[in-house]
Amino acid sequence: MKWVLRVILAVVIFVGVAVGGIALIPTDTIARLATERLSASLARDVTLTGAVRPSFYPMIGISAEGFEISNPNWAADQGPMLRAEALHIGVEVMPLFSGAVRIARAELIKPDIILLRNADGQANWEFSTTAPTAETGTGGDLPQISLSLAQISDGTLRYTDATTAQSYAAEAVNLRLEAPDLNGSLTGSFNAAINGARLRGDVTLTTLADALAGREARIDLSLSWTGGSLGYRGALMFAPLSLAGEVNADITDLTPITTAAGIAAVTLPAGLGRDRIALNGPIAMTPEGVAQIMDATLALDDTAITLSAQISTGGERPNITGRIAGGRVDLSALTEGSATEGSSAGGGWPRDEIDLTGLFAVDANLDLALAELDLGMMQLSDIALQTTLDAGRLQLDLARAVAYGGTIAGQTVINGRGNGSVASNMAIRAVQLQPLLQDFADYDRLSGTGNVTFNILAGGRSVAAWMNSLEGSAALDFGQGAIEGLDLAGMIRNLDSSYRGEGARTVYDSITATLAIAGGVARNDDLTLTAGWGGVTGTGEINIGGQSVEYRVIPAVQTSSDGSNIAVPVIVRGPWADLSFAPDLEYLANQRLELERAELEAAAQARIDEERARLEQEARDRLNLPAEGDARDAIENQLRNEVEGALRGLFGGN
């Protein structure tokens, strides 16, 4: 806005020179003097390319057919900064008698304005010479200057910034500015089609002189379009830009504003502003480019949250820090149709590439506190989450969340660097198993409560890549519950794999297991199920990437009151969508062969031991040897006698 005001003031000088000699000097001379004065004020070439005609009625003024202001030397190849088909200026007659110049009308007809910023940060609207202000005057030529009305009619504007590669184009630009007194206020309005989107705006600058002098001024600014409005009211300083006031927005359609800003169309999901975005709260921006918003209220559709944030643009990426707090947040639209589709119907995990480039848009450190969060596939409450985003690496530290009757806590990291990866270390305590497994694996046969801990790592940029590259470990500790649709005890007692029994369920007291995960396959060797009817042990593999199971459970079912039991292994095999349960007859046969071999080996060993004892006894009988105990006593007596005889001989005894 400052460059617009500066050009207007320079044009005022132009008019002052022209009007001052309009009755005495030929028109061509007036044009030359005025353009020279304007050129000196702007330090740019100012040219009138067509005829200049004076007017005396209904007001004194001039009309110039063709008006140009040049670009600086570094942008000379772009043509003039401003080119207009015509310039019309009229002044009020009566103030001239007191030496004042009051412009009643200043209008540019069909101007073409080019605004440029080069790679070095130079801008073509930054003039090297300061235009006169109401305080400094014009060197004595125009002691009193004011501007009643300035207009741009049917103009075009093009903006290109080489430092950000951004460009904008505005057509059908209509601008109206009124400043009766440079020491008073300025009001203005505009409408234009920016990048094809029609926008309207209004501005009131209550202290124009302060703004022109680089001091803090008060401003009331509003922007509107079909489907939304955005407003700011408060303090403003142009150079360097800073503000402190209140922002408000009410938007039902983002498309016009994103189109005008040159941003790709944004389609927000329900619950995140698809139908309405409303914002109200204090906002501030420091001269260093740090923006703050404190305890603002943000409504996204039916979701209401309180937002406090600070945004810094001084680094490689914008940096956002702050806190978000709210009651119930509905994000169910984010997971509509994606919870189990393609993961349990035999189609495999989705292979569509996950775009992680958005992780590099900003850096952030946000605290999130929500009473309820609806993710569609699961419901969370009492949530305390810290989010850290640093150069494409998103870290989610979940201090607490209540779900499925239990609690969830842990850390998840999504890394957009390199080939991409995801890691998670979570502890899930005392959750209801049936709804949990129903939501995440479309499996509803296991009921009860349980604890789950896992520490996993996966790489790639699709869900399929993640599931096929899983590495890590997990542990299960389930309390009392049941396996629905399967009666293990009845199946074993009746030796019938099709047996279902009343209720078709297997009740248990506890289940524990640990898993080692490598290459998307989870291996378990220590499954233990305890139950009043017996127990189960298990071993096998769960192919997470391939969505299949190859697992053997060995139930030991009590068959009588004395505690005797029968163990019949059951094989669980097949894809997740169609698991089969059947006695493992091959394993049972192998186990029977092992048992029979052990029995035969024991019988053979017993016969060998018996034959050895018989042969030893026969040998003793043939040699007339005493029994094993008597032989030991006889040998000891013989040794004693021999020792005694030797001693008698040594000492001369009989």
Side-chain angles (χ1 to χ4, degrees):
M1 179 177 290
K2 190 172 182 180
W3 73 270
V4 175
L5 297 173
R6 184 168 293 179
V7 169
I8 291 173
L9 286 174
V11 172
V12 169
I13 299 170
F14 177 102
V15 177
V17 173
V19 173
I22 197 168
L24 303 173
I25 306 175
T27 303
D28 291 341
T29 305
I30 295 174
R32 178 178 58 80
L33 292 174
T35 54
E36 287 177 356
R37 185 62 181 272
L38 186 55
S39 296
S41 298
L42 300 178
R44 299 281 177 85
D45 291 336
V46 178
T47 307
L48 297 175
T49 58
V52 178
R53 297 186 300 275
S55 63
F56 297 94
Y57 183 82
M59 63 184 68
I60 296 177
I62 61 171
S63 294
E65 296 180 359
F67 176 72
E68 293 182 0
I69 299 177
S70 70
N71 261 313
N73 292 334
W74 57 264
D77 59 341
Q78 300 294 320
M81 172 187 170
L82 185 151
R83 175 190 288 124
E85 286 189 6
L87 169 66
H88 302 313
I89 297 177
V91 300
E92 296 180 8
V93 176
M94 295 306 296
L96 292 176
F97 293 102
S98 61
V101 177
R102 181 179 296 276
I103 300 178
R105 171 174 170 255
E107 184 178 9
L108 286 172
I109 306 299
K110 292 187 177 179
D112 186 4
I113 304 169
I114 300 175
L115 301 180
L116 304 170
R117 186 184 295 276
N118 64 18
D120 297 327
Q122 294 175 296
N124 71 337
W125 62 85
E126 295 174 348
F127 301 100
S128 59
T129 299
T130 302
T133 69
E135 292 184 356
T136 61
T138 61
D141 295 333
L142 298 173
Q144 298 182 50
I145 299 175
S146 63
L147 176 65
S148 295
L149 176 64
Q151 290 189 148
I152 291 177
S153 300
D154 197 19
T156 61
L157 183 147
R158 287 170 288 164
Y159 170 81
T160 302
D161 189 338
T163 64
T164 61
Q166 291 179 318
S167 62
Y168 306 94
E171 299 177 343
V173 177
N174 295 285
L175 173 68
R176 178 185 178 94
L177 296 173
E178 295 182 72
D181 183 353
L182 292 182
N183 289 311
S185 63
L186 177 144
T187 60
S189 63
F190 86 95
N191 64 81
I194 303 177
N195 290 340
R198 175 64 64 177
L199 302 180
R200 301 174 298 278
D202 294 283
V203 61
T204 299
L205 193 61
T206 57
T207 51
L208 179 58
D210 288 336
L212 294 174
R215 296 188 297 269
E216 183 178 278
R218 302 291 299 179
I219 191 170
D220 189 345
L221 179 66
S222 65
L223 182 67
S224 62
W225 60 94
T226 302
S229 64
L230 176 65
Y232 170 78
R233 175 178 293 177
L236 175 70
M237 183 181 294
F238 286 106
L241 180 63
S242 63
L243 53 86
E246 184 170 306
V247 65
N248 60 81
D250 196 337
I251 302 168
T252 57
D253 185 3
L254 271 175
T255 303
I257 197 66
T258 56
T259 299
I263 302 173
V266 177
T267 302
L268 298 175
L272 280 181
R274 183 191 65 183
D275 301 319
R276 182 173 181 257
I277 301 172
L279 174 67
N280 183 271
I283 188 173
M285 178 181 291
T286 68
E288 294 75 25
V290 178
Q292 293 180 324
I293 187 165
M294 301 299 295
D295 296 325
T297 58
L298 175 63
L300 302 173
D301 297 334
D302 294 329
T303 299
I305 61 177
T306 300
L307 173 66
S308 295
Q310 175 175 293
I311 305 174
S312 175
T313 58
E316 182 179 352
R317 287 171 296 277
N319 186 281
I320 304 173
T321 60
R323 175 178 173 82
I324 299 173
R328 184 179 186 276
V329 176
D330 184 356
L331 302 183
S332 57
L334 294 177
T335 58
E336 284 182 356
S338 63
T340 59
E341 183 178 344
S343 65
S344 61
W349 298 106
R351 297 185 176 276
D352 297 339
E353 181 174 338
I354 299 173
D355 186 3
L356 300 177
T357 57
L359 296 177
F360 294 88
V362 299
D363 291 337
N365 193 320
L366 297 172
D367 289 330
L368 179 68
L370 297 176
E372 296 181 51
L373 178 61
D374 183 357
L375 293 175
M377 62 186 297
M378 66 182 300
Q379 314 292 317
L380 301 174
S381 61
D382 192 21
I383 303 160
L385 174 69
Q386 183 178 41
T387 302
T388 304
L389 180 57
D390 180 22
R393 182 181 182 273
L394 175 63
Q395 179 172 316
L396 304 172
D397 293 300
L398 182 62
R400 178 187 67 257
V402 176
Y404 302 103
T407 61
I408 303 175
Q411 181 186 89
T412 298
V413 175
I414 302 175
N415 193 346
R417 306 170 189 170
N419 191 44
S421 65
V422 60
S424 187
N425 184 354
M426 303 294 290
I428 305 171
R429 305 291 185 190
V431 295
Q432 295 293 324
L433 299 175
Q434 192 171 54
L436 175 67
L437 294 174
Q438 174 70 54
D439 286 346
F440 285 91
D442 196 24
Y443 184 80
D444 61 358
R445 294 188 177 185
L446 189 63
S447 62
T449 61
N451 303 324
V452 179
T453 59
F454 59 84
N455 189 348
I456 57 174
L457 172 67
R461 291 182 177 270
S462 70
V463 174
W466 288 350
M467 295 303 174
N468 282 282
S469 64
L470 275 177
E471 304 281 339
S473 61
L476 314 176
D477 183 5
F478 299 165
Q480 289 183 335
I483 304 173
E484 306 294 338
L486 174 67
D487 184 354
L488 275 176
M491 184 185 298
I492 302 307
R493 290 192 182 102
N494 292 275
L495 297 178
D496 182 1
S497 62
S498 63
Y499 181 83
R500 289 294 177 265
E502 184 178 353
R505 63 202 308 258
T506 300
V507 178
Y508 61 84
D509 294 327
S510 68
I511 300 177
T512 59
T514 59
L515 298 96
I517 308 171
V521 178
R523 178 72 190 179
N524 164 252
D525 295 312
D526 62 357
L527 172 68
T528 301
L529 181 151
T530 62
W533 47 263
V536 175
T537 58
T539 181
E541 293 182 348
I542 302 172
N543 189 334
I544 300 172
Q547 299 180 354
S548 64
V549 174
E550 183 74 25
Y551 202 85
R552 177 179 295 109
V553 293
I554 305 175
V557 180
Q558 293 182 2
T559 59
S560 63
S561 59
D562 62 3
S564 61
N565 58 64
I566 181 172
V568 178
V570 176
I571 192 73
V572 183
R573 178 184 288 127
W576 292 359
D578 188 22
L579 291 176
S580 65
F581 300 82
D584 191 351
L585 300 179
E586 180 181 357
Y587 180 86
L588 186 62
N590 291 335
Q591 291 297 101
R592 182 60 182 172
L593 288 175
E594 289 292 328
L595 179 60
E596 290 178 353
R597 184 174 64 180
E599 291 175 347
L600 289 174
E601 289 177 351
Q605 186 63 46
R607 289 194 297 272
I608 291 172
D609 292 342
E610 181 181 353
E611 184 65 18
R612 180 184 297 113
R614 188 185 64 79
L615 293 174
E616 289 178 352
Q617 186 61 46
E618 288 180 355
R620 288 190 184 94
D621 293 343
R622 285 195 304 270
L623 298 174
N624 197 24
L625 293 175
E628 184 177 352
D630 297 336
R632 185 183 303 111
D633 294 339
I635 293 171
E636 290 178 353
N637 291 333
Q638 183 179 353
L639 288 173
R640 186 180 303 110
N641 292 334
E642 290 179 355
V643 172
E644 289 177 353
L647 290 173
R648 290 190 187 99
L650 179 63
F651 294 104
N654 296 322

